[in-house]
Structures are given as C-alpha cells and as structure tokens.
Amino acid sequence: MTEQDFIPKPYTNEISNGKTSWKSPSNIALVKYWGKKDGQIPANPSISFTLDNCTTTTNLKFTKLVKSVEDYSFDIWLEGKLKIDFKPKIATFFKRIENYLPFLKEYHFTIETSNSFPHSSGIASSASGMSALALCLMDIERLLNPSMIDDYFIQKASFLARLGSGSAARSIEGPIVQWGMHKDTEGSSDLIGIKYPFNVHEVFKNYCDTILLVDKGQKQVSSTVGHDLMHNHPFAKQRFSQAHKNLSKFKNIFAEGNLKEFIKIVESEALTLHAMMMTSHPYFMLMKPNTLEIINKIWAFRVQSKTHVCFTLDAGANVHLLYPESEKSIIDQFIKNELVAYCENGQYICDQIGFGAKKA
Ligand code: PMV
C-alpha cells in the first residue's frame, strides 16, 4: 500500500448538495505512539482499544459552489456554537488531504460537531473528531464514485483521519486496532490502522476503561510539540525499538488472556510515554500530584484485592483504569471509595471496549 492508492480516479458522478453524519469513538493506546516522521508517519507502531461511550458526532452539510475556491469554504460549529478558532486546524487538515479528495475546493461545508464527553474534560477529541470528519468526507467521495468498495472506504477513512491527528487512524474500527508497520503483523501499515488480526481471549471482551478526570484544564504542551521533541531525543532509538518488542508480546498476551503480562506492558508503556516527556529538551511533565496518588492507590489495591485493575495514561494528567468486565462491581466500589477524591469535581467517565464508528 502506498499514498498513491488513495488518489482517486476522475469521479463518475456529480452531486450538488447533501448531508451526512457519523459518530466516531475515541481510543486508548496500549502501546503508545509518540514521535513521528514527516507526513504523519509514526516513528513506531501502536495498538489501542477502541472506546464505546466517548464519541464525537459530526454532521456535514455540503453545497456545490458556483466556482471552486482558492481557499476552503467552510464553517465549523461545536455544540451549537460557531468556532472560528477551530478553523485553522481544519484548514490545515483540508490542505493535507486535498490531494486525496480533489472535490474539497468545489463545495461549501457546514461542519457541526459535538462530543459525548464534557467539553474541556481533558479528554482529547482529536481522534474521534478527525475520524468522524474523515468518514463524512468519504461519504461524499462515495457519492461521487458509487463503485467504491467497503474495504477501500474504511481504509481511506483511516488514512485521511491519520492526516488530521495520528491516533485518529485507530478510531475508525474496533475493538482493537493496530497502526504502524510491524514485522509480525501482516497487512500492518504506517498509513492506516487495521483491525488486530490475531486471536483475542474472551477475558478482553467488554474490557472496561474508567477515565478519571484528574485535571480538566488545557495541557501546557500539545501533542504536536511533544511528538516533535522525539527528534534528537536521547532515548528515542531505544524507545522505538521497545515499542516494536512490546507489540510482539501482545500476540501471546491477547491469545492467552495473560492479564499479568498485559498489566506489566500497559503500565510500563504509560510511564515510558511520560518518561519521554520528562527527558526531552525542553522537558515537561503532564502528570499532576493526583495522577501519582491514583497510581499508588491502584498498585496497593491490586495486591490487596487480587484483581487485575491497571492504569494507562494519555498525553495528560487523566488516568484510564483498565479492568475485565468480571471485576466491574468491585472496581466500581474501589473508584467510589478511594479514587473519586482525586478527580476534579469528583468526575469520571465509565467506558468500555467498542466496535468502531457508526453512521449516525
Ligand atoms: O494523535 P496525536 O498526535 O494527538 O498523538 C496522540 C499520542 C498519545 O495519545 C499520547 C498516544 C497514542 O498512541 O494515542
């Protein structure tokens, strides 16, 4: 697969206007993507659970312009409010994907988007948001080229979403998605996310993710800056090779349902991601005191309760608690008794593994 595969042949149909809508989930990485090459190519492969409740819904209306425009013609609304400050991000996205969607300058777009999770919860909406927008745009391309097959639709949606936000490549399908080339995974690619092709044990069915909202403020350092700091990072080479090795280990972990090993790698990946931030130049830290309090509580509770709860982190202070469905009631109690106190305004979100984006 190459980028060329996503440059369309001349369209066979014409369409003057219409609307479409997609609901896309967020995802949580188990092996983290941190560091990239030009063109949103990941420095190492990553793997994630697709979530179910944390979603973005995007409605896209499109009207053919009398004359195609030099710049892009669009408005973007978030939860009913016109968001002029979102325009540069979308314009950058359109510029990156224009080669692959030549109709972009021929239409006016009205993009209405809303998230299922509270606004400014510290949960990044870029993965679900870019996925939903990419899928809506693919709907238009399918109208222009009705012979498009489903596989191509899904692959190209992931390809486009990746160009909006790397991790968005993993927010099209579910329940487990790998993005990035890896020697053991046939069909894996730096260009798109693919459904994890190997056996996955029953214990991972409906696996739970409770997101503890530790800090809902704006991050001090964006992912874009963080990825960039992996260039010339003193530990980059080892980190990228470690990610490849960790991904290999998941093959047995998933097949056997080996939760002990799962926990070891997932927690190590989370701490390594943050260790990369703390050892880059300039260095920075996104964890907050309550992030560490929660991690220590989890470790103590795991020993005492003999459950399999573990944590992972995104590029932020919030903590994702991962655990099998069979332990839901005991972990619920643990959250209420011991962890809520460390969440901003006592807020947390209950989620679980999901199956990918749906037409809304
Ligand atoms: O998709 P981006 O560029 O916002 O990067 C996301 C990176 C992490 O969330 C920290 C890790 C990952 O693999 O999702």
Short mmCIF file of all heavy atoms in Angstrom, two decimals, residues 282-304:
data_model
loop_
_atom_site.label_atom_id
_atom_site.label_comp_id
_atom_site.label_asym_id
_atom_site.label_seq_id
_atom_site.Cartn_x
_atom_site.Cartn_y
_atom_site.Cartn_z
N PRO A 282 13.12 20.96 25.40
CA PRO A 282 12.89 21.13 26.83
C PRO A 282 12.05 19.99 27.41
O PRO A 282 11.25 19.38 26.71
CB PRO A 282 12.11 22.44 26.89
CG PRO A 282 11.50 22.60 25.53
CD PRO A 282 12.41 21.93 24.57
N TYR A 283 12.25 19.72 28.70
CA TYR A 283 11.49 18.68 29.40
C TYR A 283 10.18 19.26 29.91
O TYR A 283 10.07 20.48 30.11
CB TYR A 283 12.31 18.12 30.57
CG TYR A 283 13.07 19.18 31.31
CD1 TYR A 283 12.45 19.97 32.28
CD2 TYR A 283 14.42 19.43 31.02
CE1 TYR A 283 13.15 20.96 32.95
CE2 TYR A 283 15.12 20.42 31.68
CZ TYR A 283 14.48 21.19 32.65
OH TYR A 283 15.16 22.17 33.29
N PHE A 284 9.22 18.41 30.08
CA PHE A 284 7.94 18.85 30.64
C PHE A 284 7.24 17.69 31.32
O PHE A 284 7.66 16.53 31.16
CB PHE A 284 7.04 19.48 29.55
CG PHE A 284 6.67 18.54 28.42
CD1 PHE A 284 5.39 18.01 28.35
CD2 PHE A 284 7.57 18.21 27.42
CE1 PHE A 284 5.02 17.15 27.30
CE2 PHE A 284 7.22 17.35 26.37
CZ PHE A 284 5.95 16.83 26.31
N MET A 285 6.21 18.01 32.07
CA MET A 285 5.51 16.97 32.83
C MET A 285 4.01 17.21 32.72
O MET A 285 3.56 18.33 32.99
CB MET A 285 5.95 17.06 34.28
CG MET A 285 5.69 15.80 35.05
SD MET A 285 6.05 16.03 36.79
CE MET A 285 7.80 16.12 36.81
N LEU A 286 3.26 16.21 32.34
CA LEU A 286 1.81 16.39 32.23
C LEU A 286 1.07 15.71 33.38
O LEU A 286 -0.11 15.95 33.59
CB LEU A 286 1.30 15.88 30.88
CG LEU A 286 1.84 16.61 29.63
CD1 LEU A 286 1.23 16.03 28.37
CD2 LEU A 286 1.56 18.11 29.70
N MET A 287 1.77 14.84 34.12
CA MET A 287 1.12 14.23 35.28
C MET A 287 0.99 15.29 36.38
O MET A 287 1.80 16.20 36.46
CB MET A 287 1.95 13.06 35.79
CG MET A 287 1.95 11.88 34.85
SD MET A 287 2.68 10.41 35.57
CE MET A 287 4.41 10.79 35.50
N LYS A 288 -0.05 15.12 37.20
CA LYS A 288 -0.27 16.02 38.33
C LYS A 288 -0.12 15.19 39.61
O LYS A 288 -0.16 13.96 39.56
CB LYS A 288 -1.70 16.59 38.27
CG LYS A 288 -1.97 17.44 37.04
CD LYS A 288 -1.37 18.82 37.19
CE LYS A 288 -1.65 19.65 35.95
NZ LYS A 288 -0.87 20.86 35.91
N PRO A 289 0.00 15.86 40.76
CA PRO A 289 0.12 15.10 42.01
C PRO A 289 -0.97 14.03 42.15
O PRO A 289 -0.69 12.90 42.56
CB PRO A 289 0.00 16.17 43.09
CG PRO A 289 0.56 17.40 42.44
CD PRO A 289 0.16 17.31 40.98
N ASN A 290 -2.21 14.36 41.75
CA ASN A 290 -3.28 13.37 41.91
C ASN A 290 -3.15 12.18 40.95
O ASN A 290 -3.66 11.10 41.23
CB ASN A 290 -4.66 14.03 41.75
CG ASN A 290 -5.07 14.78 43.01
OD1 ASN A 290 -4.37 14.69 44.03
ND2 ASN A 290 -6.17 15.51 42.94
N THR A 291 -2.45 12.39 39.84
CA THR A 291 -2.19 11.26 38.93
C THR A 291 -1.37 10.21 39.71
O THR A 291 -1.67 9.01 39.69
CB THR A 291 -1.39 11.73 37.69
OG1 THR A 291 -2.01 12.89 37.15
CG2 THR A 291 -1.29 10.64 36.64
N LEU A 292 -0.35 10.69 40.40
CA LEU A 292 0.53 9.77 41.15
C LEU A 292 -0.19 9.16 42.35
O LEU A 292 0.00 7.98 42.66
CB LEU A 292 1.79 10.52 41.62
CG LEU A 292 2.64 11.13 40.52
CD1 LEU A 292 3.92 11.72 41.10
CD2 LEU A 292 3.00 10.09 39.45
N GLU A 293 -1.03 9.95 43.01
CA GLU A 293 -1.80 9.40 44.14
C GLU A 293 -2.65 8.23 43.64
O GLU A 293 -2.71 7.18 44.28
CB GLU A 293 -2.75 10.47 44.72
CG GLU A 293 -2.09 11.66 45.38
CD GLU A 293 -1.54 11.35 46.77
OE1 GLU A 293 -1.66 10.19 47.24
OE2 GLU A 293 -0.98 12.28 47.39
N ILE A 294 -3.29 8.42 42.50
CA ILE A 294 -4.17 7.37 41.95
C ILE A 294 -3.35 6.13 41.59
O ILE A 294 -3.74 5.00 41.90
CB ILE A 294 -4.96 7.91 40.73
CG1 ILE A 294 -6.00 8.93 41.21
CG2 ILE A 294 -5.63 6.77 39.95
CD1 ILE A 294 -6.68 9.71 40.09
N ILE A 295 -2.22 6.34 40.94
CA ILE A 295 -1.39 5.20 40.54
C ILE A 295 -0.98 4.39 41.78
O ILE A 295 -1.07 3.15 41.79
CB ILE A 295 -0.15 5.69 39.74
CG1 ILE A 295 -0.61 6.23 38.37
CG2 ILE A 295 0.88 4.57 39.58
CD1 ILE A 295 0.50 6.86 37.55
N ASN A 296 -0.58 5.08 42.82
CA ASN A 296 -0.19 4.35 44.04
C ASN A 296 -1.36 3.61 44.67
O ASN A 296 -1.21 2.49 45.16
CB ASN A 296 0.45 5.32 45.04
CG ASN A 296 1.90 5.56 44.67
OD1 ASN A 296 2.70 4.62 44.56
ND2 ASN A 296 2.25 6.81 44.43
N LYS A 297 -2.53 4.21 44.62
CA LYS A 297 -3.74 3.54 45.15
C LYS A 297 -4.03 2.28 44.33
O LYS A 297 -4.43 1.26 44.89
CB LYS A 297 -4.96 4.48 45.06
CG LYS A 297 -4.93 5.63 46.02
CD LYS A 297 -5.47 5.19 47.36
CE LYS A 297 -5.42 6.34 48.36
NZ LYS A 297 -5.59 5.90 49.74
N ILE A 298 -3.87 2.38 43.03
CA ILE A 298 -4.14 1.22 42.16
C ILE A 298 -3.19 0.08 42.51
O ILE A 298 -3.60 -1.07 42.65
CB ILE A 298 -4.01 1.60 40.67
CG1 ILE A 298 -5.12 2.58 40.26
CG2 ILE A 298 -4.02 0.36 39.76
CD1 ILE A 298 -4.92 3.21 38.89
N TRP A 299 -1.93 0.41 42.64
CA TRP A 299 -0.95 -0.64 42.96
C TRP A 299 -1.28 -1.32 44.28
O TRP A 299 -1.22 -2.55 44.39
CB TRP A 299 0.47 -0.05 42.97
CG TRP A 299 1.01 0.24 41.58
CD1 TRP A 299 0.58 -0.32 40.42
CD2 TRP A 299 2.07 1.15 41.23
NE1 TRP A 299 1.30 0.19 39.36
CE2 TRP A 299 2.24 1.09 39.82
CE3 TRP A 299 2.90 2.01 41.95
CZ2 TRP A 299 3.18 1.85 39.14
CZ3 TRP A 299 3.85 2.76 41.26
CH2 TRP A 299 4.00 2.68 39.87
N ALA A 300 -1.62 -0.52 45.28
CA ALA A 300 -1.93 -1.11 46.59
C ALA A 300 -3.19 -1.96 46.51
O ALA A 300 -3.24 -3.09 47.01
CB ALA A 300 -2.10 0.00 47.63
N PHE A 301 -4.21 -1.43 45.84
CA PHE A 301 -5.49 -2.14 45.76
C PHE A 301 -5.34 -3.46 44.98
O PHE A 301 -5.95 -4.47 45.32
CB PHE A 301 -6.55 -1.26 45.08
CG PHE A 301 -7.89 -1.91 44.98
CD1 PHE A 301 -8.73 -2.00 46.08
CD2 PHE A 301 -8.33 -2.47 43.77
CE1 PHE A 301 -9.98 -2.62 45.99
CE2 PHE A 301 -9.57 -3.10 43.67
CZ PHE A 301 -10.39 -3.16 44.79
N ARG A 302 -4.52 -3.42 43.94
CA ARG A 302 -4.35 -4.64 43.11
C ARG A 302 -3.79 -5.79 43.95
O ARG A 302 -4.23 -6.92 43.85
CB ARG A 302 -3.45 -4.34 41.92
CG ARG A 302 -3.47 -5.45 40.89
CD ARG A 302 -2.99 -5.00 39.54
NE ARG A 302 -1.57 -4.70 39.52
CZ ARG A 302 -1.02 -3.66 38.88
NH1 ARG A 302 -1.78 -2.81 38.22
NH2 ARG A 302 0.28 -3.46 38.91
N VAL A 303 -2.81 -5.47 44.79
CA VAL A 303 -2.19 -6.50 45.63
C VAL A 303 -3.22 -7.02 46.64
O VAL A 303 -3.44 -8.22 46.78
CB VAL A 303 -0.97 -5.92 46.38
CG1 VAL A 303 -0.42 -6.91 47.39
CG2 VAL A 303 0.10 -5.50 45.38
N GLN A 304 -3.89 -6.06 47.28
CA GLN A 304 -4.80 -6.42 48.37
C GLN A 304 -6.04 -7.16 47.84
O GLN A 304 -6.52 -8.11 48.44
CB GLN A 304 -5.17 -5.11 49.08
CG GLN A 304 -6.28 -5.18 50.09
CD GLN A 304 -7.31 -4.09 49.81
OE1 GLN A 304 -6.95 -2.94 49.55
NE2 GLN A 304 -8.58 -4.47 49.85
#
